[in-house]
Amino acid sequence: MRTLLLASAALLIAGPAAAQTFAITNARIETVGPAGTIPNGTIVIRDGKIAAVGAGVQAPAGATVIDAKGGVVTPGFIAVSSNLTVSEVSAVQETRDDRSGKLSAGFDIQYGVNPNSTMIPWARQAGLTRAVATPVLSRGGGGHHHDDSGAEETAGGGGGAGDGDPHLFAGQAAVVSLASGQTDLLVRAKAAVVLDMGEAGAQAAGSRGAAMVLVRSAFEDARAYARNKAAYDRGETREFGLSRIDLEALVPVVQGRTPLLVRVSRAADILQILKMAKEEGVSVILEGVEEGWLVAPQIAAARVGVIVDAQRDLPSSFETLASRLDNAARLQAAGVTVALIGSRDQNNLRQARFNAGMAVSYGLTYQQGLASLTLNPAKIWKMDAQVGSLEVGKTADVVVWTGDPLELSTWPTDVFIAGQRQPADVRAFELRDRYAAQPGAYPQAYTKP
């Protein structure tokens, strides 16, 4: 590790790495693209892009050559829905900026993104190069994922500020890069509006039927608001259930320009969401979907991507009675685009790749397992033209692993984001090295300037 730290420091001193050319050789390359698996190949990174990849590729003159020593190279993984960069310690409320507070759809998570989060280096150590920061309701919501932090709340919605504002909408998501040394990680703001339905929605609104009526009413209000904002400003419109800020956030949703990320579990609720989306002309992404396998053909026909926790196999609530370990495989077999999630908590994002390994053991092919962490999240979030697979011309988000990335014992040896080689230092590693090397008393903690 000390060698890695010194190498990283040398790279930073040498100047912007994005302008460098790298050649990763002697690697099993999992392209997750048309080229499939290349058993022993080379990938060339130049000016932030993938310049070449294949079995017969030669390292260009002057390139920095990295011998993968038979390891595995994959596209960078994408945290498909998480609180990374917007929450530092889940149990410390002051460090959490992923909750909607008094707002509803209008809450915009982009303003809480912290490029100096100590959890970002940890995320890179899990092979992650991008993340989608998604909001949760202030008093719960978004808590359907397996999470061993014990801090993620699982209660229902936040209660109503009025009959038309039951806090079903958690706010707006943002896509971020996990590159080191950047002051602005934001890739795309307002990437989706998040909505909690099912039991969480029923608790907030009073019942499932009430929640759906209120959502449709909010859409109707957003359309009316968009048609005549001037009249709204003059106070010449009817009363709306949501505030102007919340209505403004819903306008691109009802116009089909921004997707609605719906957290939903029960098969019957999923069908209601698909019906609502078709009738309202709204694009949706489904998260949770524990009973999705029961309605997989309908999800596939609607061409809706899903975010699934492959470990959710217990009937922990009445809306997840039909949970099963092969949910992801059955959805994939039906033609659904499946992205896998472990925990949304920033401490446990590594669980996603282990969940992918488990999903492979329950029916996904190995390639589908890798795609569920790379290309499928990129497709769901409309980034697949840039990232998600190792193809010439794509942005060079690349990870070099010691072995199979779906195994517990493997680890990244190199991570590239947009062609920039990332430092391998992590606060916990530095602490380990500091104390492991001391034969006697503890070293001085710090020096006061």
Side-chain angles (χ1 to χ4, degrees), residues 347-362:
N347 286 300
N348 298 298
L349 296 175
R350 63 188 181 281
Q351 290 176 357
R353 67 185 180 102
F354 304 148
N355 281 4
M358 176 173 287
V360 169
S361 71
Y362 278 87

PDB file of all heavy atoms in Angstrom, residues 347-362:
ATOM      1  N   ASN A 347     -21.389   3.743   3.329  1.00  0.00           N
ATOM      2  CA  ASN A 347     -20.413   2.850   3.959  1.00  0.00           C
ATOM      3  C   ASN A 347     -20.393   1.459   3.342  1.00  0.00           C
ATOM      4  O   ASN A 347     -19.422   0.724   3.526  1.00  0.00           O
ATOM      5  CB  ASN A 347     -20.738   2.709   5.449  1.00  0.00           C
ATOM      6  CG  ASN A 347     -20.379   3.945   6.229  1.00  0.00           C
ATOM      7  OD1 ASN A 347     -19.224   4.341   6.259  1.00  0.00           O
ATOM      8  ND2 ASN A 347     -21.371   4.576   6.821  1.00  0.00           N
ATOM      9  N   ASN A 348     -21.457   1.098   2.657  1.00  0.00           N
ATOM     10  CA  ASN A 348     -21.619  -0.294   2.259  1.00  0.00           C
ATOM     11  C   ASN A 348     -21.893  -0.469   0.773  1.00  0.00           C
ATOM     12  O   ASN A 348     -22.547  -1.432   0.364  1.00  0.00           O
ATOM     13  CB  ASN A 348     -22.766  -0.914   3.072  1.00  0.00           C
ATOM     14  CG  ASN A 348     -22.464  -0.906   4.545  1.00  0.00           C
ATOM     15  OD1 ASN A 348     -21.509  -1.528   5.001  1.00  0.00           O
ATOM     16  ND2 ASN A 348     -23.275  -0.178   5.302  1.00  0.00           N
ATOM     17  N   LEU A 349     -21.384   0.434  -0.031  1.00  0.00           N
ATOM     18  CA  LEU A 349     -21.656   0.350  -1.469  1.00  0.00           C
ATOM     19  C   LEU A 349     -21.007  -0.874  -2.104  1.00  0.00           C
ATOM     20  O   LEU A 349     -21.415  -1.318  -3.165  1.00  0.00           O
ATOM     21  CB  LEU A 349     -21.173   1.629  -2.154  1.00  0.00           C
ATOM     22  CG  LEU A 349     -21.918   2.900  -1.713  1.00  0.00           C
ATOM     23  CD1 LEU A 349     -21.294   4.128  -2.347  1.00  0.00           C
ATOM     24  CD2 LEU A 349     -23.390   2.819  -2.056  1.00  0.00           C
ATOM     25  N   ARG A 350     -19.983  -1.427  -1.442  1.00  0.00           N
ATOM     26  CA  ARG A 350     -19.330  -2.620  -1.971  1.00  0.00           C
ATOM     27  C   ARG A 350     -20.299  -3.808  -2.052  1.00  0.00           C
ATOM     28  O   ARG A 350     -20.053  -4.777  -2.766  1.00  0.00           O
ATOM     29  CB  ARG A 350     -18.145  -3.003  -1.091  1.00  0.00           C
ATOM     30  CG  ARG A 350     -18.545  -3.381   0.324  1.00  0.00           C
ATOM     31  CD  ARG A 350     -17.353  -3.579   1.238  1.00  0.00           C
ATOM     32  NE  ARG A 350     -17.750  -3.970   2.580  1.00  0.00           N
ATOM     33  CZ  ARG A 350     -18.211  -3.122   3.501  1.00  0.00           C
ATOM     34  NH1 ARG A 350     -18.332  -1.844   3.209  1.00  0.00           N
ATOM     35  NH2 ARG A 350     -18.566  -3.549   4.690  1.00  0.00           N
ATOM     36  N   GLN A 351     -21.399  -3.741  -1.293  1.00  0.00           N
ATOM     37  CA  GLN A 351     -22.340  -4.857  -1.290  1.00  0.00           C
ATOM     38  C   GLN A 351     -22.935  -5.116  -2.674  1.00  0.00           C
ATOM     39  O   GLN A 351     -23.354  -6.230  -2.973  1.00  0.00           O
ATOM     40  CB  GLN A 351     -23.469  -4.594  -0.297  1.00  0.00           C
ATOM     41  CG  GLN A 351     -23.029  -4.664   1.154  1.00  0.00           C
ATOM     42  CD  GLN A 351     -24.156  -4.300   2.099  1.00  0.00           C
ATOM     43  OE1 GLN A 351     -25.249  -3.949   1.666  1.00  0.00           O
ATOM     44  NE2 GLN A 351     -23.883  -4.377   3.383  1.00  0.00           N
ATOM     45  N   ALA A 352     -22.967  -4.103  -3.507  1.00  0.00           N
ATOM     46  CA  ALA A 352     -23.594  -4.278  -4.817  1.00  0.00           C
ATOM     47  C   ALA A 352     -22.880  -5.357  -5.630  1.00  0.00           C
ATOM     48  O   ALA A 352     -23.518  -6.200  -6.267  1.00  0.00           O
ATOM     49  CB  ALA A 352     -23.612  -2.956  -5.569  1.00  0.00           C
ATOM     50  N   ARG A 353     -21.552  -5.350  -5.622  1.00  0.00           N
ATOM     51  CA  ARG A 353     -20.854  -6.358  -6.440  1.00  0.00           C
ATOM     52  C   ARG A 353     -20.974  -7.748  -5.819  1.00  0.00           C
ATOM     53  O   ARG A 353     -20.996  -8.751  -6.530  1.00  0.00           O
ATOM     54  CB  ARG A 353     -19.404  -5.966  -6.683  1.00  0.00           C
ATOM     55  CG  ARG A 353     -18.478  -5.943  -5.495  1.00  0.00           C
ATOM     56  CD  ARG A 353     -17.115  -5.406  -5.946  1.00  0.00           C
ATOM     57  NE  ARG A 353     -16.132  -5.344  -4.884  1.00  0.00           N
ATOM     58  CZ  ARG A 353     -15.152  -6.218  -4.704  1.00  0.00           C
ATOM     59  NH1 ARG A 353     -15.046  -7.265  -5.532  1.00  0.00           N
ATOM     60  NH2 ARG A 353     -14.277  -6.083  -3.734  1.00  0.00           N
ATOM     61  N   PHE A 354     -21.074  -7.822  -4.510  1.00  0.00           N
ATOM     62  CA  PHE A 354     -21.292  -9.122  -3.887  1.00  0.00           C
ATOM     63  C   PHE A 354     -22.709  -9.618  -4.184  1.00  0.00           C
ATOM     64  O   PHE A 354     -22.935 -10.816  -4.391  1.00  0.00           O
ATOM     65  CB  PHE A 354     -21.056  -9.030  -2.384  1.00  0.00           C
ATOM     66  CG  PHE A 354     -19.705  -8.497  -2.022  1.00  0.00           C
ATOM     67  CD1 PHE A 354     -19.509  -7.758  -0.877  1.00  0.00           C
ATOM     68  CD2 PHE A 354     -18.610  -8.743  -2.834  1.00  0.00           C
ATOM     69  CE1 PHE A 354     -18.245  -7.264  -0.554  1.00  0.00           C
ATOM     70  CE2 PHE A 354     -17.353  -8.256  -2.527  1.00  0.00           C
ATOM     71  CZ  PHE A 354     -17.170  -7.511  -1.375  1.00  0.00           C
ATOM     72  N   ASN A 355     -23.657  -8.682  -4.201  1.00  0.00           N
ATOM     73  CA  ASN A 355     -25.021  -9.052  -4.583  1.00  0.00           C
ATOM     74  C   ASN A 355     -25.070  -9.550  -6.020  1.00  0.00           C
ATOM     75  O   ASN A 355     -25.836 -10.458  -6.353  1.00  0.00           O
ATOM     76  CB  ASN A 355     -25.962  -7.862  -4.424  1.00  0.00           C
ATOM     77  CG  ASN A 355     -26.369  -7.651  -2.980  1.00  0.00           C
ATOM     78  OD1 ASN A 355     -25.886  -8.350  -2.093  1.00  0.00           O
ATOM     79  ND2 ASN A 355     -27.241  -6.694  -2.745  1.00  0.00           N
ATOM     80  N   ALA A 356     -24.247  -8.931  -6.872  1.00  0.00           N
ATOM     81  CA  ALA A 356     -24.194  -9.386  -8.258  1.00  0.00           C
ATOM     82  C   ALA A 356     -23.680 -10.821  -8.321  1.00  0.00           C
ATOM     83  O   ALA A 356     -24.182 -11.647  -9.101  1.00  0.00           O
ATOM     84  CB  ALA A 356     -23.315  -8.450  -9.088  1.00  0.00           C
ATOM     85  N   GLY A 357     -22.668 -11.122  -7.498  1.00  0.00           N
ATOM     86  CA  GLY A 357     -22.181 -12.499  -7.444  1.00  0.00           C
ATOM     87  C   GLY A 357     -23.268 -13.459  -6.995  1.00  0.00           C
ATOM     88  O   GLY A 357     -23.419 -14.565  -7.545  1.00  0.00           O
ATOM     89  N   MET A 358     -24.047 -13.036  -6.017  1.00  0.00           N
ATOM     90  CA  MET A 358     -25.138 -13.891  -5.550  1.00  0.00           C
ATOM     91  C   MET A 358     -26.208 -14.050  -6.636  1.00  0.00           C
ATOM     92  O   MET A 358     -26.730 -15.153  -6.846  1.00  0.00           O
ATOM     93  CB  MET A 358     -25.775 -13.295  -4.293  1.00  0.00           C
ATOM     94  CG  MET A 358     -26.972 -14.071  -3.785  1.00  0.00           C
ATOM     95  SD  MET A 358     -27.565 -13.447  -2.218  1.00  0.00           S
ATOM     96  CE  MET A 358     -26.259 -14.034  -1.144  1.00  0.00           C
ATOM     97  N   ALA A 359     -26.498 -12.952  -7.333  1.00  0.00           N
ATOM     98  CA  ALA A 359     -27.500 -13.030  -8.403  1.00  0.00           C
ATOM     99  C   ALA A 359     -27.040 -13.982  -9.502  1.00  0.00           C
ATOM    100  O   ALA A 359     -27.860 -14.676 -10.115  1.00  0.00           O
ATOM    101  CB  ALA A 359     -27.761 -11.640  -8.969  1.00  0.00           C
ATOM    102  N   VAL A 360     -25.727 -14.012  -9.755  1.00  0.00           N
ATOM    103  CA  VAL A 360     -25.197 -14.956 -10.742  1.00  0.00           C
ATOM    104  C   VAL A 360     -25.425 -16.399 -10.277  1.00  0.00           C
ATOM    105  O   VAL A 360     -25.776 -17.288 -11.058  1.00  0.00           O
ATOM    106  CB  VAL A 360     -23.708 -14.673 -11.015  1.00  0.00           C
ATOM    107  CG1 VAL A 360     -23.070 -15.799 -11.821  1.00  0.00           C
ATOM    108  CG2 VAL A 360     -23.546 -13.342 -11.744  1.00  0.00           C
ATOM    109  N   SER A 361     -25.241 -16.605  -8.984  1.00  0.00           N
ATOM    110  CA  SER A 361     -25.471 -17.960  -8.476  1.00  0.00           C
ATOM    111  C   SER A 361     -26.942 -18.340  -8.481  1.00  0.00           C
ATOM    112  O   SER A 361     -27.278 -19.519  -8.336  1.00  0.00           O
ATOM    113  CB  SER A 361     -24.906 -18.087  -7.054  1.00  0.00           C
ATOM    114  OG  SER A 361     -25.686 -17.369  -6.133  1.00  0.00           O
ATOM    115  N   TYR A 362     -27.816 -17.345  -8.655  1.00  0.00           N
ATOM    116  CA  TYR A 362     -29.260 -17.621  -8.716  1.00  0.00           C
ATOM    117  C   TYR A 362     -29.842 -17.298 -10.092  1.00  0.00           C
ATOM    118  O   TYR A 362     -30.990 -16.905 -10.198  1.00  0.00           O
ATOM    119  CB  TYR A 362     -29.998 -16.849  -7.628  1.00  0.00           C
ATOM    120  CG  TYR A 362     -29.924 -17.549  -6.292  1.00  0.00           C
ATOM    121  CD1 TYR A 362     -28.853 -17.326  -5.434  1.00  0.00           C
ATOM    122  CD2 TYR A 362     -30.897 -18.459  -5.900  1.00  0.00           C
ATOM    123  CE1 TYR A 362     -28.755 -17.978  -4.223  1.00  0.00           C
ATOM    124  CE2 TYR A 362     -30.810 -19.116  -4.689  1.00  0.00           C
ATOM    125  CZ  TYR A 362     -29.744 -18.888  -3.856  1.00  0.00           C
ATOM    126  OH  TYR A 362     -29.662 -19.542  -2.658  1.00  0.00           O
TER     127      TYR A 362
END
